[in-house]
Amino acid sequence: MILQKKLFLYFLLFLLLFPQISFSSDNSKAVNIEKLITEYDSIISGYVETSQLPGVAIGIVTNGKIALLKGYGVKKTGTTEAIDKDTVFRLASVSKGFASVLTGLLVKDGVLQWDDKVTKYLPEFTLKDKANTEHLTIRNILNHTSGLVPHAYDNLIEADVPYNKIIEELQKLPSYCSPGKCYGYQNAFYSLITEVIKSATGKEYDTLLSERILNPLKMDGVSFTKKKFISSGNYACPHELVKGRLIPVAPQGTYYSTAAASGLNAGIEDMTQWLLAMLGNRQDVIPASIIDEVCTPLVKTPTELRKYNWNNRLSSTHYGMGWRIFNYSGHNLVYHSGNVYGYFAAMAFLPEQNTGIVILQNSRVYNKYIYAFLDMYLGIWKKDPQNYLR
């Protein structure tokens, strides 16, 4: 007993003499975020300057604070107009996370329940298989387990067919499994949640999303249409690969009809506010219970192991509701990306570390901006800044 007391006193003395030494439950080294951000910023700046990519906007959040908020490159090749923190991009499928969180707020209010039958709110909606119609739930919409073939009628979205007409066509499709039994990624079907929300609340999706999430988070630059995108006066021009070169193209109006799945526009400053909220730093707007609910792994997505498994970092991949959940080198990572004509967006965060990153770019060229940051932050990256992003 005397020896134990002496050891305890020595330990206390050690803490008093060396207070700068940090301890953590996972024995990881404390991250010098300022040094990391400086190095990361230098790498990204050099890469954008030497590559043919037009530009990218990046926001990084850690421990409840914005560590990086910056635009790199230009809005349009052949010009010198730089991307800034307010330059608007298209979010594409990164829009999906907003829809699931808004649904969660309505569940918390008692307006909806995750496992409510869709027919409770849309009694006229039917799937081709009557039994599947009776079992289809809100949760099935949001975690892509409707039973329909993946990407059902994306071609109609791209052809600018009105959404009410697409809904009619969805009801004619045969199912290849029962709701909840298999994963099949959707855009048209995912946006059925907007019709459920309208039926339950009497409000349009964009109105309610603004009232409950965008306005409280002061995400003032977010919009839902091509007209608003252009009229912002500060938007990134889309670029597409033509004969091996990225050239500027005109913004398209496709995928705005499926607002919940792919229809939002935003700048990087707005998206860092969203990232802060999804990391639990704005529980006055989005309670932690809702974040936990939508970020809970619900269905395995083994094909994503190949698609997203850069450098063999992933050991498991799942989908929650509006978010992908990965095991990234032993760490819980929440992620979603999206692309639409001329744009790519992605957001990733480590909930346990209260750290995340969001990128918006005006081309669909694949890059490793997010992987570079994650590997640097977790101390597992290869020290090869010249080639790391290629």
Side-chain angles (χ1 to χ4, degrees):
M1 183 64 70
I2 294 174
L3 179 60
Q4 289 177 337
K5 287 182 178 179
K6 285 185 176 180
L7 289 173
F8 180 71
L9 289 172
Y10 285 141
F11 181 69
L12 287 178
L13 181 61
F14 178 81
L15 291 179
L16 289 171
L17 290 173
F18 302 99
Q20 73 277 16
I21 296 177
S22 61
F23 294 88
S24 61
S25 58
D26 63 356
N27 294 319
S28 63
K29 295 180 180 179
V31 177
N32 184 332
I33 194 67
E34 291 83 7
K35 181 180 178 181
L36 186 155
I37 292 298
T38 298
E39 184 176 4
Y40 180 78
D41 174 49
S42 176
I43 291 170
I44 300 301
S45 295
Y47 177 65
V48 173
E49 287 175 6
T50 58
S51 73
Q52 66 161 325
L53 297 181
V56 63
I58 301 180
I60 293 174
V61 165
T62 186
N63 295 324
K65 296 180 180 180
I66 297 172
L68 179 67
L69 179 63
K70 187 173 177 179
Y72 302 82
V74 294
K75 300 176 191 177
K76 182 178 180 180
T77 55
T79 74
T80 57
E81 194 172 359
I83 292 170
D84 61 37
K85 62 183 179 62
D86 298 314
T87 301
V88 181
F89 296 74
R90 294 197 63 179
L91 299 187
S93 285
V94 177
S95 304
K96 289 181 171 70
F98 289 88
S100 63
V101 170
L102 178 60
T103 304
L105 290 172
L106 296 176
V107 169
K108 190 173 187 296
D109 292 345
V111 176
L112 300 171
Q113 295 299 320
W114 295 114
D115 294 312
D116 279 347
K117 301 296 188 290
V118 172
T119 52
K120 178 179 178 179
Y121 305 97
L122 306 176
E124 302 303 316
F125 181 83
T126 60
L127 293 171
K128 191 171 184 179
D129 186 302
K130 183 179 178 181
N132 288 350
T133 301
E134 294 172 352
H135 289 96
L136 183 69
T137 67
I138 290 173
R139 195 185 299 272
N140 297 145
I141 293 176
L142 296 174
N143 69 8
H144 303 293
T145 58
S146 64
L148 298 182
V149 63
H151 294 278
Y153 288 129
D154 278 3
N155 61 319
L156 297 185
I157 301 174
E158 292 171 1
D160 266 341
V161 173
Y163 187 59
N164 63 317
K165 297 296 184 183
I166 296 176
I167 292 176
E168 292 176 9
E169 295 302 316
L170 286 170
Q171 297 177 80
K172 301 173 186 177
L173 275 178
S175 301
Y176 74 97
C177 73
S178 301
K181 299 299 182 182
C182 58
Y183 171 81
Y185 189 83
Q186 305 292 336
N187 286 304
F189 201 89
Y190 190 93
S191 281
L192 198 64
I193 192 63
T194 62
E195 303 302 308
V196 171
I197 287 173
K198 182 178 179 180
S199 175
T201 66
K203 292 186 176 183
E204 297 290 344
Y205 175 74
D206 57 348
T207 299
L208 200 58
L209 185 64
S210 297
E211 289 177 355
R212 298 300 301 271
I213 295 177
L214 304 180
N215 294 343
L217 293 179
K218 300 189 184 306
M219 297 176 66
D220 303 325
V222 176
S223 61
F224 301 82
T225 65
K226 177 186 173 183
K227 183 178 180 179
K228 288 281 188 180
F229 181 76
I230 299 297
S231 65
S232 70
N234 183 7
Y235 67 90
C237 178
H239 294 73
E240 283 287 305
L241 272 174
V242 177
K243 296 181 179 179
R245 294 183 62 233
L246 279 169
I247 65 168
V249 293
Q252 301 293 303
T254 53
Y255 285 93
Y256 282 116
S257 64
T258 50
S262 52
L264 273 63
N265 312 309
I268 198 64
E269 185 167 42
D270 287 325
M271 290 304 291
T272 52
Q273 296 306 314
W274 178 232
L275 182 54
L276 279 165
M278 287 305 298
L279 281 166
N281 298 294
R282 286 300 306 275
Q283 293 193 42
D284 57 317
V285 180
I286 304 173
S289 58
I290 294 174
I291 299 171
D292 291 343
E293 188 76 36
V294 300
C295 297
T296 295
L298 294 177
V299 54
K300 290 183 179 180
T301 56
T303 58
E304 312 307 331
L305 275 172
R306 294 189 296 274
K307 183 177 180 180
Y308 296 102
N309 199 4
W310 180 81
N311 233 20
N312 296 315
R313 297 291 191 231
L314 304 185
S315 58
S316 68
T317 53
H318 292 78
Y319 205 91
M321 288 187 283
W323 297 97
R324 301 186 186 280
I325 298 92
F326 298 153
N327 183 312
Y328 188 91
S329 287
H331 300 272
N332 181 34
L333 178 70
V334 180
Y335 177 87
H336 216 292
S337 63
N339 74 84
V340 67
Y341 189 69
Y343 298 96
F344 176 80
M347 179 167 154
F349 56 96
L350 300 157
E352 285 77 19
Q353 288 86 352
N354 196 4
T355 296
I357 177 173
V358 58
I359 70 163
L360 306 172
Q361 66 182 63
N362 52 346
S363 69
R364 292 193 285 181
V365 176
Y366 178 77
N367 64 70
K368 305 182 184 74
Y369 296 133
I370 283 182
Y371 299 122
F373 172 72
L374 291 174
D375 284 10
M376 290 172 72
Y377 181 82
L378 296 171
I380 57 175
W381 82 305
K382 296 179 180 179
K383 300 288 184 179
D384 191 2
Q386 297 303 317
N387 299 312
Y388 194 79
L389 296 176
R390 291 178 173 83

